[in-house]
Amino acid sequence: MPQILLSEGPAQGVRLLTLNRPDALNALNTALLASLSDELDAAEADPETRAIVITGSERAFAAGADITEMAARDLVGMLNDPRIEHWARIRRFTKPLITAINGFCLGGGCELAMCGDILIAGNKARFGQPEINLGIMPGSGGTQRLVRAVGQSLAMQMVLTGEPISAQRALDAGLVSEVCQPELTVERALAIARTIASKGPIAVELAREAIQRAEDMDLAAGLRFERHAFTILAATDDRREGLEAFQNKRKPTFSGR
């Protein structure tokens, strides 16, 4: 059974990837992460793919790491864990990535969801980092991404107690951008992805990078990067097309040049 289900496409510039370990609540084992890395490689190499949506099932986006697999690794096994490179590959993905989340989004699943640029949640989703209950801690970005998303106090509470939060609290805290009915979650994420895919690819890439860099730069450095990126766009065909289309009251056709 494939670890990742790929929708036919890209349709309107968007690929849908579905985590597919239903018997394990989509627990993230090495094989699933390797398959996800391969799919992201293919998407990045495909000029027709301009955005990605990753989802799971209605019961679980992903309920965490594969504990059986993890328990079999000693210190040396953890140092040489092949999942480290797969996680790095996911973080290096250069195109817009949206995660559509229903049900359990815990541990490694929450860490994967937070790799998304935009998080859309069903109203029954539950977000948490429960590793502390097993005598361990988040190891794939949970402590770092969570504090940037929800602030130190709530991140500390979630990580040190292991207690999950609701979709509504995740929305209030800034972890997700929208909450909707569970059956509408994927379609809403796809609609956002299609909207992004319709924009100028170079502008999307540079705007995305500028926002990401804001986490690691002081304001002055961030503003310099933003202005540099803004200036670079003056040399693109897409900028000329966008301005001409606006002036002529027509829909632009972006080429990515």
Side-chain angles (χ1 to χ4, degrees), residues 129-130 132-133 137-138 153-163:
Q129 298 288 164
I132 205 79
N133 297 325
M137 61 174 279
S153 182
L154 182 54
M156 197 75 78
Q157 180 179 335
M158 291 173 67
V159 170
L160 298 188
T161 68
E163 296 172 353

Side-chain angles (χ1 to χ4, degrees), residues 158-201:
M158 291 173 67
V159 170
L160 298 188
T161 68
E163 296 172 353
I165 62 173
S166 67
Q168 184 59 50
R169 190 168 187 195
L171 177 66
D172 294 341
L175 179 58
V176 304
S177 62
E178 289 188 24
V179 171
C180 56
Q181 293 298 315
E183 64 273 15
L184 301 178
T185 307
V186 174
E187 186 50 47
R188 178 59 183 147
L190 288 170
I192 294 170
R194 288 191 290 266
T195 297
I196 294 170
S198 72
K199 311 303 181 185

Side-chain angles (χ1 to χ4, degrees), residues 51-136:
I52 289 284
V53 173
I54 298 177
T55 193
S57 67
E58 189 167 327
R59 188 179 178 196
F61 176 77
D66 189 302
I67 301 303
T68 301
E69 187 179 69
M70 183 186 299
R73 290 193 169 97
D74 57 11
L75 175 59
V76 174
M78 294 301 290
L79 288 172
N80 297 318
D81 190 342
R83 294 175 301 175
I84 295 171
E85 179 52 36
H86 298 320
W87 278 108
R89 172 61 189 101
I90 294 165
R91 290 191 290 269
R92 289 195 306 269
F93 189 63
T94 61
K95 297 182 180 182
L97 194 162
I98 299 170
T99 47
I101 303 140
N102 280 309
F104 298 114
C105 186
L106 306 175
C110 191
E111 290 169 318
L112 177 59
M114 289 191 292
C115 288
D117 300 306
I118 300 170
L119 285 66
I120 306 298
N123 60 17
K124 296 180 182 178
R126 302 280 286 174
F127 296 84
Q129 298 288 164
E131 292 90 344
I132 205 79
N133 297 325
L134 304 177
I136 57 176

Side-chain angles (χ1 to χ4, degrees), residues 200-232:
I202 303 172
V204 167
E205 180 180 354
L206 289 175
R208 177 178 183 266
E209 184 177 359
I211 293 170
Q212 289 176 328
R213 286 184 177 232
E215 291 183 346
D216 303 315
M217 288 181 170
D218 62 38
L219 179 58
L223 289 171
R224 285 194 299 272
F225 180 85
E226 179 188 78
R227 188 66 195 182
H228 179 69
F230 179 84
T231 303
I232 287 173

